Amino acid sequence: MAFYIPLLQPHFKHIEIGDTLTSLWSGCGSIVQCQLDDKPCVIKAIKIPSYIHHPKIKQSEFALKRKQHSYSVEYTFYKLYSQYLPVHAQSIECIGAINKGDEYALVFKNFTKHGFTQAGPQHVKAILKWLAHFHAFNLSKPTTGLWQQGNYWHLSTRPDEFNKLKDNLDKKSDIKNAAHKIDEQLQRCAYKTLIHGDAKLANFAANERDEILGYDFQYIGAGSGIIDVMYFMTSCLSDAQLHGCADKYLAYYFDNLKAAITTYHPTAPAGKIADDWLALWPAAWADFYRFLAGWSPEHQKINSYMQQQVNSWLASNI
């Protein structure tokens, strides 16, 4: 019997397990189609192994606890936060968040049965609008049960990758020397929100009306919304597209952000928040570059646009 069946049994009378759609990261469980009480559902079944096999991550107690906590955060998000999201920033619908010890079963309505499919490059603007509403709605939201600092690559959660960075004698190009200053600048941001923390194209679904649903909220926590925007663009725009379109997409995001802040928080200084976050654009890129350079220095996301933003930050701050 699959480990998650006993988790489901107290909550559903009729359980029919279907195909396994995919395995979770490094053996941490699986995504399974099913019928629960005759409704088409998808289960995210999570059980973290005692040893993580990953070619680029050194097995350590720290790395294991980071992964364990990420699933606890996701469970908390779906249990306590997701049902309150506004109509323009919805997550996939969770009809059951079940936990026992180190085992979790997150039960979702099967969004493919309701006209949604995996989002694609044609949905960039729709997802930027989703992010704008998500960030505006969650402005200054408490992070109870979530990450105190959102995203999976920030400095305090990646000591192994930081230690792999080589020192550079030229301080004007030394990302290792600059890492703490970059992190402090991002954390000093006066206007925090909840960020998705892993806002890549693959973590969104869309329908024919360009309505968007977000999912995979393992790294949701406090931060500046610009961090999600940067990471989203790395997931769906080439180097040439970033050079040609990033400014246009940024303007679109901030137009939507300011309008959404005015809707959800009429007294908040929407223009000031937008200006403060935009000023952190190079810092967000430099912070992600610091992680990639330690984790996978040949990664395809390290391109000329990223290097341009990193050099811009270093020239202004070192």
Side-chain angles (χ1 to χ4, degrees):
M1 181 189 292
F3 74 86
Y4 52 86
I5 301 289
L7 294 178
L8 300 174
Q9 285 171 332
H11 303 275
F12 302 96
K13 291 179 181 176
H14 303 289
I15 301 170
E16 186 180 331
I17 302 302
D19 294 336
T20 297
L21 299 177
T22 188
S23 296
L24 297 183
W25 182 89
S26 292
C28 290
S30 54
I31 308 287
V32 183
Q33 279 187 323
C34 62
Q35 292 272 338
L36 299 177
D37 294 343
D38 300 321
K39 293 177 183 174
C41 297
V42 172
I43 305 164
K44 186 172 185 176
I46 302 155
K47 186 172 184 178
I48 296 107
S50 57
Y51 191 93
I52 292 174
H53 296 275
H54 192 284
K56 290 176 181 170
I57 293 181
K58 176 186 171 186
Q59 169 68 23
S60 68
E61 193 66 22
F62 187 90
L64 191 62
K65 284 183 176 177
R66 179 179 64 229
K67 180 51 64 175
Q68 288 169 335
H69 188 59
S70 78
Y71 288 117
S72 171
V73 164
E74 185 173 37
Y75 164 80
T76 299
F77 170 76
Y78 284 117
K79 190 87 172 173
L80 301 179
Y81 291 83
S82 64
Q83 63 268 43
Y84 301 110
L85 291 173
V87 67
H88 294 299
Q90 293 278 294
S91 67
I92 58 174
E93 187 173 346
C94 183
I95 62 173
I98 308 162
N99 166 238
K100 186 176 181 182
D102 64 348
E103 298 176 351
Y104 299 87
L106 301 177
V107 183
F108 302 104
K109 278 189 177 179
N110 188 336
F111 63 70
T112 65
K113 306 295 184 185
H114 295 85
F116 284 85
T117 58
Q118 173 68 55
Q122 71 273 30
H123 298 114
V124 169
K125 288 179 105 173
I127 294 169
L128 287 170
K129 183 176 180 181
W130 185 99
L131 287 170
H133 279 267
F134 187 83
H135 296 149
F137 179 78
N138 289 303
L139 208 59
S140 302
K141 185 76 59 88
T143 56
T144 309
L146 308 179
W147 292 97
Q148 298 308 296
Q149 187 176 359
N151 86 47
Y152 67 81
W153 62 86
H154 63 80
L155 188 58
S156 65
T157 203
R158 290 293 181 171
D160 297 333
E161 291 77 7
F162 175 76
N163 290 330
K164 286 181 185 176
L165 288 171
K166 293 182 173 63
D167 292 298
N168 194 319
L169 294 176
D170 177 7
K171 292 201 172 177
K172 287 196 177 295
S173 60
D174 187 355
I175 198 70
K176 189 170 187 177
N177 177 63
H180 288 90
K181 191 171 182 181
I182 296 165
D183 182 62
E184 286 162 11
Q185 188 179 99
L186 290 169
Q187 289 203 62
R188 269 200 320 271
C189 174
Y191 302 101
K192 296 278 185 67
T193 185
L194 294 183
I195 62 172
H196 181 289
D198 192 10
K200 59 189 176 187
L201 183 62
N203 285 340
F204 294 95
N207 67 12
E208 289 183 350
R209 296 187 298 278
D210 277 356
E211 294 168 332
I212 301 296
L213 301 174
Y215 52 95
D216 277 9
F217 288 88
Q218 289 173 235
Y219 294 97
I220 183 171
S224 162
I226 201 70
I227 294 167
D228 272 345
V229 178
M230 176 279 301
Y231 185 69
F232 173 63
M233 288 199 197
T234 72
S235 77
C236 57
L237 300 180
S238 68
D239 190 25
Q241 288 172 319
L242 284 165
H243 283 290
C245 303
D247 288 348
K248 178 182 72 175
Y249 284 137
L250 272 177
Y252 181 80
Y253 166 78
F254 280 115
D255 284 347
N256 279 276
L257 178 76
K258 287 183 281 191
I261 291 172
T262 302
T263 298
Y264 304 125
H265 305 280
T267 62
K272 178 73 164 65
I273 294 166
D275 289 346
D276 281 13
W277 287 5
L278 180 57
L280 293 172
W281 184 240
W285 282 92
D287 192 52
F288 189 48
Y289 170 72
R290 179 265 315 150
F291 163 67
L292 287 179
W295 182 62
S296 181
E298 305 304 318
H299 201 286
Q300 62 181 5
K301 289 185 178 182
I302 301 177
N303 56 32
S304 68
Y305 184 87
M306 177 180 280
Q307 294 284 7
Q308 183 183 82
Q309 296 301 320
V310 173
N311 291 338
S312 171
W313 189 92
L314 290 168
S316 300
N317 292 276
I318 300 298

